[in-house]
Amino acid sequence: MMENVGGTTYFYPTSAENSVTTNDTLSSVNSSVGSSYQVYPGTPSHVTALKSKTGSSSFFIAEDTRMDILNRNALTLLQPDPGQFPDLPQDVDNYHELCPLEPIPTNSLQKALIGYQASMYKATHIKTGTRHCLRRIHGFRLQNTKCMTYVDMWKKLIHSNIVQLKEVFTTKAFGDNSMVFVYDFHPGSETLLTKHFASDSMNGYVDPFATDPSAPRPYSHHKNSILRHQQNNKLPEALIWNYIIQLTSALRIIHVAGLACRSLDPTKIIITVGNRLRLSCLGVMDVIINDTSTASNPVGLIQHYQQEDLTSLGKLVLALACKSTMAVQRENISTAVEVVTRTYTTDLRNLIMYLLSPQQRRSVTDLMPMIGARFYTQLDSVQTRTDVLENEVSKEMENGRLFRLLVKLGSINERPEFNMDGTWSETGDRYMLKLFRDYVFHQVTEDGRPWLDMAHVVQCLNKLDTGVPEKVCLMSRDEQSILVVSYAELKHCLEQSYDEVLNASAPTDNVT
Amino acid sequence: MMENVGGTTYFYPTSAENSVTTNDTLSSVNSSVGSSYQVYPGTPSHVTALKSKTGSSSFFIAEDTRMDILNRNALTLLQPDPGQFPDLPQDVDNYHELCPLEPIPTNSLQKALIGYQASMYKATHIKTGTRHCLRRIHGFRLQNTKCMTYVDMWKKLIHSNIVQLKEVFTTKAFGDNSMVFVYDFHPGSETLLTKHFASDSMNGYVDPFATDPSAPRPYSHHKNSILRHQQNNKLPEALIWNYIIQLTSALRIIHVAGLACRSLDPTKIIITVGNRLRLSCLGVMDVIINDTSTASNPVGLIQHYQQEDLTSLGKLVLALACKSTMAVQRENISTAVEVVTRTYTTDLRNLIMYLLSPQQRRSVTDLMPMIGARFYTQLDSVQTRTDVLENEVSKEMENGRLFRLLVKLGSINERPEFNMDGTWSETGDRYMLKLFRDYVFHQVTEDGRPWLDMAHVVQCLNKLDTGVPEKVCLMSRDEQSILVVSYAELKHCLEQSYDEVLNASAPTDNVT
């Protein structure tokens, strides 16, 4: 029974059907069929079984996933230090907030590969606010727009092992004629070169055991140094196959689309957490080396580049298996293959041999039998990762809702003044919400100790959010009156009060 | 400059180095290199590109993922209605909270397959609190414990397309001798039968177009009815291949482990959101049909069952392609294959023909060339799903932290009394936190309108959580004094005050 006197509801013995949670019985038992509000029910057993992969099975996000995401978010939000890069333009086409992603090259040595100096920036799209990766080719004038056909083809290519090309434009914003290739930004990526060949020098062609790399050395020296290097750093074969599957997956759709990668080398393949590989820099060669548009037989030329992609893949796998880019030097290849034969399966050797046999016409399809059942292993591991991630999502999903609810409550409780009324937050609906706030946060035990229980807070807020019919006893601060209200009524109070604040927050000239 | 008078800090012009956020300048610009606190930077472009799959690119979790997880959580937490199932035991071995997952069979018709009545329950492990799926075989006495070798082998099998067997025990808790198989619980799953063959009757062998199924019908009737049925319900071929890849993935590791599934039919394959298939009920046949342990040649027997698995797979794929379990009846098979030939690729037809040719020794390995590059498609789609899920995790990750921060603040702000002190929450550190609360939630515009801005709330709380050196101007309610404090000081106040409450919450006899 309730009675409303002067806006305050007073409490009389209630009917037995409704469970009433009082300040004294600090926990309530929910015996209904199916809870009417949502909580995370704990880690499911099929995810618990993967303990070694997930770390812990707590109610909060796994620490490694969390640190990884924090790191990626921080990198996404990173702003350049204007003092360090005074020459950076404010805007480049539709992009601003440029932030160099690698040291800007200052000498011409790095021009070797494509004949142009290149640099890379993170930038924010002015309209969408999304971060992108810009690859700038310095001092480049586009002579022939035919190559833009390739750009359009690249832009349509969406694949989980490819960094998608978004657009290409020319700009004078850097003070020269630059060509800019815009890609997805994958924060926290590193190249395969830095990940696995860090001990080699950057160009990958220096023998760390020789003082004079041009001096003639006996065959056994090569072999021993490659072998010693590989044995100290050997990559697990499963990881190499994981890479092969991802790289062939990307190559396959590139070749099917009538394109060629043309830059399949460890400096252009990026790796993010979970060993995801992505081919980057796609389309640059098609624009910069403008031979495809002038060739008499462009299809034949693309097929030639596709064959070169497969050769590059073979070299890359050989380098990974020997853990050294030195292995792909012409004079080392036979030694390197010997090393692979000794330490890895015949399948891996055969795959490398096939890819490094340019006299035959090769294709990704022919590689599939060599990969064989490893496709299944790969699928299982990726599917397992989705199971783990789904569990992470369900852990954190409800927190956003509860947070927003507390923000609403906070905007009402103790508001000093509303529409010139200094007592607004202490009267009517707001009074109920004030007492409810006390009920949620300020309960004390019988002997007067503060009673802190996160489960109580979460449960009360969930019931409020759902507006369950269950009733709750709210005591006035002077302990002279007790209000009995249902969560449904409290929900109504909250919505009403928040709407009042929200409506009043609109500029007066917009109120009609 | 700051000056502390009577516990209150007064504000004088500050040094230029520190950015000061005042009540008047409602937004602050952060120009530092890398923000010192964490926020979600928005949907990355490679996920935005998948719009059609993710729904929206908001800062909150995608609605379909959310509804799916909510549904699964609700099913996980579902409690049985004791009135509806008065006979359910309270405890069964280490499990309680039993909840039937399907109607408990009451007649003996459903015994057909394995000769025993069976039922299925969700149950909670008493010690871990994890939910499991219990499959109970009614009235079964284990004659021979040799089959437990198979149980041990099944328990070791972990795969993303298999419902893992956790343990097997016998019990009299149901009032009979029951054998209980404990599995992972996958809430929200349905069987392939209910998902794709719902229009067929449960036993799957009734022709809906005939009044008397035993009456002889001309060949063309069969053909036309199968064809008509299939054309109205045709499954996309990509989905069938998706299923084939998952089912062969599971079969492969089962066969490699020296086991056989023995129950590969649409009633025993479950499907969860994202089209994930899992083989269920594994190990039951090995225990119930106790021939493997008595056979003179158990290895040969397992090989026989493995061949039967492949035949079952062929029938299942044929039924899916014809969208009818009727298709696998002996007299319909040739018609059904004809229908598949007409509507699907040769690869699919060949796969079915291979699997339905029991005269040759078949294996999953031989299927791989028929699956071919579809492995790549499958991998791309699962990898893409992990990208989407990682983005969902990063959206919601920070909310849990901010929620916990608000709960801490709530337990301090406006606490009516602490250690007999009615002014505790209004003095000292707590006074700063009270003014900070007003700063976060109760700001007004110059013309007195409430100023509501979620970004402001999130930013303030993030700065508080990190304790950044940035300073903030807090105005007393009478507007007579202004406090200038850094977020670092506020963080210290919060920690101190919360520790006070926390320590006081401990039972007094525990305080030494």
Side-chain angles (χ1 to χ4, degrees):
Chain A
M1 279 282 289
M2 281 186 294
E3 196 176 332
N4 196 304
V5 181
T8 302
T9 308
Y10 291 92
F11 165 66
Y12 301 101
T14 53
S15 58
E17 304 96 77
N18 291 313
S19 81
V20 175
T21 317
T22 70
N23 282 16
D24 294 327
T25 57
L26 290 171
S27 66
S28 78
V29 177
N30 195 308
S31 63
S32 62
V33 179
S35 170
S36 52
Y37 53 90
Q38 293 294 340
V39 294
Y40 172 64
T43 307
S45 55
H46 70 284
V47 177
T48 314
L50 309 165
K51 246 177 215 150
S52 58
K53 293 176 193 171
T54 55
S56 72
S57 60
S58 84
F59 280 71
F60 301 111
I61 190 166
E63 198 52 29
D64 52 349
T65 309
R66 181 177 147 79
M67 290 316 294
D68 164 40
I69 292 174
L70 284 181
N71 179 42
R72 283 197 260 173
N73 287 353
L75 291 168
T76 304
L77 295 168
L78 202 69
Q79 295 287 322
D81 180 354
Q84 204 189 334
F85 303 104
D87 299 335
L88 273 188
Q90 281 287 311
D91 300 296
V92 176
D93 204 77
N94 278 316
Y95 300 86
H96 66 155
E97 298 183 337
L98 264 69
C99 192
L101 288 175
E102 53 185 24
I104 296 176
T106 47
N107 62 53
S108 54
L109 279 178
Q110 283 149 297
K111 287 190 184 182
L113 185 63
I114 52 169
Y116 292 95
Q117 197 176 324
S119 53
M120 189 163 54
Y121 311 84
K122 184 194 71 152
T124 308
H125 192 277
I126 286 169
K127 282 174 196 154
T128 65
T130 312
R131 279 79 182 183
H132 291 276
C133 173
L134 309 191
R135 284 198 181 256
R136 168 189 165 208
I137 312 297
H138 301 220
F140 178 80
R141 275 176 196 275
L142 189 63
Q143 305 293 341
N144 187 328
T145 55
K146 265 194 187 174
C147 62
M148 296 315 267
T149 321
Y150 289 99
V151 169
D152 289 335
M153 289 164 80
W154 282 114
K155 280 161 70 178
K156 287 186 195 119
L157 224 54
I158 299 180
H159 190 272
S160 53
N161 295 113
I162 276 180
V163 181
Q164 200 196 348
L165 178 64
K166 296 293 189 181
E167 60 170 323
V168 178
F169 58 84
T170 54
T171 181
K172 296 191 172 180
F174 294 98
D176 66 349
N177 290 295
S178 280
M179 187 98 194
V180 175
F181 293 77
V182 183
Y183 296 94
D184 286 334
F185 175 55
H186 293 282
S189 304
E190 54 182 329
T191 66
L192 268 191
L193 186 75
T194 58
K195 174 93 179 179
H196 293 302
F197 304 108
S199 58
D200 291 8
S201 84
M202 279 301 280
N203 67 30
Y205 288 87
V206 173
D207 179 350
F209 304 105
T211 43
D212 178 11
S214 63
R217 282 157 296 173
Y219 176 73
S220 67
H221 171 74
H222 281 278
K223 188 170 159 179
N224 290 341
S225 69
I226 292 182
L227 195 58
R228 186 168 54 229
H229 184 69
Q230 192 255 13
Q231 283 171 338
N232 293 337
N233 300 271
K234 195 174 167 242
L235 290 182
E237 180 159 345
L239 181 66
I240 298 177
W241 283 108
N242 177 341
Y243 289 170
I244 290 170
I245 291 173
Q246 296 188 65
L247 295 172
T248 53
S249 190
L251 273 190
R252 184 183 153 266
I253 70 133
I254 290 171
H255 292 184
V256 166
L259 292 163
C261 170
R262 303 177 67 183
S263 55
L264 193 88
D265 74 74
T267 64
K268 300 289 181 293
I269 299 165
I270 60 168
I271 179 163
T272 38
V273 175
N275 286 327
R276 173 76 63 83
L277 296 190
R278 284 187 181 89
L279 302 187
S280 74
C281 249
L282 298 172
V284 173
M285 297 298 268
D286 295 318
V287 173
I288 301 301
I289 302 174
N290 200 4
D291 49 2
T292 47
S293 55
T294 53
S296 56
N297 177 11
V299 174
L301 198 56
I302 285 291
Q303 283 172 350
H304 165 74
Y305 289 132
Q306 290 175 348
Q307 291 299 307
E308 282 194 347
D309 283 350
L310 293 165
T311 305
S312 302
L313 178 64
K315 286 185 178 169
L316 178 65
V317 175
L318 184 62
L320 285 167
C322 293
K323 201 70 169 62
S324 167
T325 51
M326 203 169 62
V328 301
Q329 286 180 279
R330 186 179 294 273
E331 71 269 26
N332 291 340
I333 284 188
S334 63
T335 313
V337 170
E338 215 177 288
V339 168
V340 172
T341 310
R342 251 192 242 187
T343 37
Y344 291 108
T345 61
T346 320
D347 277 353
L348 190 62
R349 194 199 103 97
N350 290 348
L351 179 124
I352 294 169
M353 292 305 285
Y354 171 83
L355 289 170
L356 295 182
S357 308
Q359 57 282 8
Q360 59 178 314
R361 187 175 179 81
R362 296 148 293 155
S363 79
V364 170
T365 312
D366 292 342
L367 296 173
M368 292 185 62
M370 304 182 208
I371 297 170
R374 295 178 188 94
F375 278 115
Y376 284 122
T377 317
Q378 188 88 344
L379 270 170
D380 182 37
S381 97
V382 184
Q383 285 185 157
T384 299
R385 173 130 181 94
T386 69
D387 288 345
V388 171
L389 285 171
E390 277 183 10
N391 184 47
E392 296 300 341
V393 173
S394 56
K395 277 182 196 172
E396 292 286 335
M397 192 177 68
E398 298 307 304
N399 292 327
R401 184 176 51 77
L402 294 180
F403 173 69
R404 295 196 292 278
L405 194 64
L406 274 189
V407 170
K408 276 189 179 179
L409 210 52
S411 71
I412 297 161
N413 289 154
E414 312 296 332
R415 178 169 282 278
E417 191 187 76
F418 181 74
N419 280 345
M420 316 290 282
D421 175 4
T423 64
W424 179 78
S425 68
E426 297 283 333
T427 52
D429 286 352
R430 283 78 58 195
Y431 183 62
M432 300 243 247
L433 294 173
K434 176 196 167 97
L435 296 192
F436 177 70
R437 188 268 326 270
D438 285 348
Y439 175 79
V440 174
F441 291 116
H442 302 145
Q443 295 211 24
V444 289
T445 59
E446 276 185 16
D447 53 344
R449 286 178 289 116
W451 183 70
L452 302 173
D453 185 341
M454 192 65 163
H456 165 74
V457 173
V458 170
Q459 197 176 51
C460 290
L461 292 176
N462 274 323
K463 288 176 182 173
L464 173 68
D465 200 23
T466 328
V468 294
E470 184 182 327
K471 290 198 170 67
V472 55
C473 292
L474 304 177
M475 202 186 293
S476 69
R477 287 202 163 190
D478 60 9
E479 300 184 6
Q480 294 305 299
S481 58
I482 294 175
L483 281 77
V484 179
V485 286
S486 68
Y487 281 97
E489 290 168 274
L490 285 168
K491 184 182 180 173
H492 182 71
C493 291
L494 179 70
E495 281 169 358
Q496 286 276 76
S497 309
Y498 188 73
D499 281 351
E500 266 190 74
V501 177
L502 193 63
N503 290 334
S505 74
T508 32
D509 50 6
N510 284 353
V511 176
T512 51
Chain B
M1 276 284 288
M2 280 187 293
E3 194 177 331
N4 196 305
V5 181
T8 303
T9 309
Y10 293 90
F11 166 67
Y12 301 102
T14 52
S15 59
E17 306 96 78
N18 292 313
S19 80
V20 175
T21 316
T22 70
N23 282 16
D24 294 327
T25 57
L26 290 170
S27 66
S28 77
V29 176
N30 195 308
S31 62
S32 61
V33 179
S35 169
S36 54
Y37 53 90
Q38 293 294 339
V39 294
Y40 172 64
T43 307
S45 56
H46 71 285
V47 177
T48 314
L50 308 165
K51 244 176 216 151
S52 58
K53 293 177 193 170
T54 54
S56 70
S57 60
S58 83
F59 279 73
F60 301 111
I61 189 166
E63 198 52 28
D64 52 348
T65 308
R66 181 178 148 80
M67 290 317 294
D68 164 40
I69 292 174
L70 285 182
N71 179 43
R72 282 196 261 174
N73 287 354
L75 290 168
T76 304
L77 295 168
L78 201 70
Q79 296 286 321
D81 179 354
Q84 204 189 333
F85 304 103
D87 299 336
L88 274 187
Q90 281 287 311
D91 300 295
V92 175
D93 205 78
N94 278 317
Y95 300 87
H96 66 155
E97 299 183 337
L98 264 69
C99 192
L101 288 175
E102 53 186 23
I104 295 175
T106 48
N107 63 53
S108 54
L109 279 178
Q110 283 150 297
K111 286 188 183 181
L113 184 64
I114 52 168
Y116 293 94
Q117 197 176 323
S119 52
M120 190 162 54
Y121 311 85
K122 184 196 74 156
T124 309
H125 192 278
I126 286 169
K127 283 174 195 153
T128 65
T130 312
R131 279 78 182 184
H132 291 276
C133 173
L134 310 190
R135 285 200 181 252
R136 167 189 165 210
I137 311 297
H138 301 219
F140 178 81
R141 273 175 197 277
L142 189 64
Q143 304 292 342
N144 188 327
T145 56
K146 266 194 185 173
C147 61
M148 297 315 269
T149 321
Y150 288 100
V151 169
D152 288 336
M153 289 163 81
W154 281 115
K155 281 161 69 178
K156 285 185 196 122
L157 223 55
I158 299 180
H159 190 272
S160 53
N161 295 113
I162 277 181
V163 181
Q164 200 195 349
L165 178 65
K166 295 293 187 179
E167 59 170 323
V168 178
F169 58 82
T170 55
T171 181
K172 296 191 172 182
F174 294 98
D176 66 349
N177 289 295
S178 281
M179 187 98 194
V180 175
F181 294 77
V182 182
Y183 296 94
D184 284 335
F185 175 55
H186 294 281
S189 304
E190 53 181 331
T191 66
L192 267 192
L193 187 75
T194 58
K195 174 95 178 175
H196 292 302
F197 305 107
S199 58
D200 291 8
S201 84
M202 278 304 279
N203 67 30
Y205 288 88
V206 173
D207 180 350
F209 303 105
T211 43
D212 177 10
S214 64
R217 280 158 297 174
Y219 176 72
S220 66
H221 171 76
H222 281 280
K223 190 170 160 179
N224 290 341
S225 69
I226 291 181
L227 195 57
R228 186 167 56 227
H229 184 69
Q230 191 253 14
Q231 282 171 339
N232 293 338
N233 300 272
K234 195 173 166 239
L235 291 181
E237 180 158 345
L239 181 67
I240 298 178
W241 284 109
N242 177 340
Y243 289 171
I244 291 170
I245 291 172
Q246 296 188 64
L247 294 172
T248 52
S249 190
L251 272 191
R252 183 184 154 266
I253 70 132
I254 290 171
H255 291 183
V256 166
L259 292 163
C261 170
R262 304 177 69 182
S263 55
L264 192 87
D265 73 75
T267 65
K268 301 287 181 295
I269 299 165
I270 61 169
I271 178 163
T272 37
V273 175
N275 286 328
R276 173 75 64 82
L277 295 189
R278 284 186 180 91
L279 302 187
S280 74
C281 250
L282 298 171
V284 173
M285 298 297 268
D286 295 318
V287 173
I288 302 300
I289 301 174
N290 199 4
D291 50 2
T292 48
S293 55
T294 54
S296 56
N297 177 9
V299 174
L301 198 56
I302 284 291
Q303 283 171 350
H304 165 73
Y305 289 132
Q306 290 175 347
Q307 291 299 307
E308 282 193 348
D309 282 351
L310 293 165
T311 306
S312 302
L313 178 64
K315 287 184 177 171
L316 178 65
V317 175
L318 184 62
L320 285 167
C322 293
K323 200 70 167 66
S324 165
T325 52
M326 205 170 61
V328 302
Q329 285 179 280
R330 185 178 294 275
E331 71 270 24
N332 292 340
I333 285 188
S334 63
T335 312
V337 170
E338 218 177 285
V339 168
V340 171
T341 309
R342 252 192 242 186
T343 37
Y344 291 107
T345 60
T346 320
D347 277 354
L348 190 62
R349 193 199 104 97
N350 290 348
L351 179 124
I352 294 168
M353 292 304 286
Y354 171 82
L355 288 171
L356 295 182
S357 309
Q359 57 281 9
Q360 59 178 312
R361 187 174 180 82
R362 295 148 293 154
S363 79
V364 170
T365 312
D366 292 342
L367 296 174
M368 293 186 61
M370 306 183 207
I371 297 169
R374 296 177 188 95
F375 279 114
Y376 285 121
T377 317
Q378 187 88 345
L379 270 169
D380 182 36
S381 98
V382 184
Q383 284 185 160
T384 300
R385 174 133 181 91
T386 68
D387 287 346
V388 171
L389 285 171
E390 275 183 11
N391 184 46
E392 297 299 340
V393 173
S394 55
K395 277 183 197 172
E396 292 287 335
M397 193 177 67
E398 298 305 305
N399 292 326
R401 185 177 51 77
L402 294 180
F403 173 70
R404 294 196 291 278
L405 195 63
L406 274 190
V407 170
K408 275 189 180 180
L409 210 51
S411 70
I412 297 161
N413 288 154
E414 311 297 331
R415 177 168 283 277
E417 191 188 75
F418 182 74
N419 281 344
M420 315 291 281
D421 175 5
T423 65
W424 180 79
S425 67
E426 298 283 333
T427 52
D429 286 351
R430 282 80 55 196
Y431 182 61
M432 301 246 247
L433 293 174
K434 176 196 167 97
L435 296 192
F436 177 70
R437 189 269 324 271
D438 285 348
Y439 175 79
V440 174
F441 290 116
H442 302 144
Q443 295 209 24
V444 289
T445 59
E446 276 185 15
D447 54 344
R449 286 178 290 115
W451 183 69
L452 301 173
D453 184 341
M454 192 64 163
H456 165 73
V457 174
V458 170
Q459 197 177 52
C460 290
L461 292 175
N462 275 323
K463 288 176 181 172
L464 174 67
D465 200 23
T466 329
V468 294
E470 183 182 329
K471 289 198 172 68
V472 55
C473 292
L474 304 178
M475 200 186 297
S476 68
R477 289 203 161 189
D478 60 8
E479 300 184 4
Q480 294 307 299
S481 58
I482 292 175
L483 281 76
V484 179
V485 285
S486 67
Y487 280 98
E489 290 169 274
L490 285 169
K491 183 181 180 173
H492 182 71
C493 291
L494 179 70
E495 281 169 358
Q496 285 277 77
S497 309
Y498 187 73
D499 281 351
E500 265 189 75
V501 178
L502 192 64
N503 290 335
S505 74
T508 31
D509 49 8
N510 285 352
V511 177
T512 50

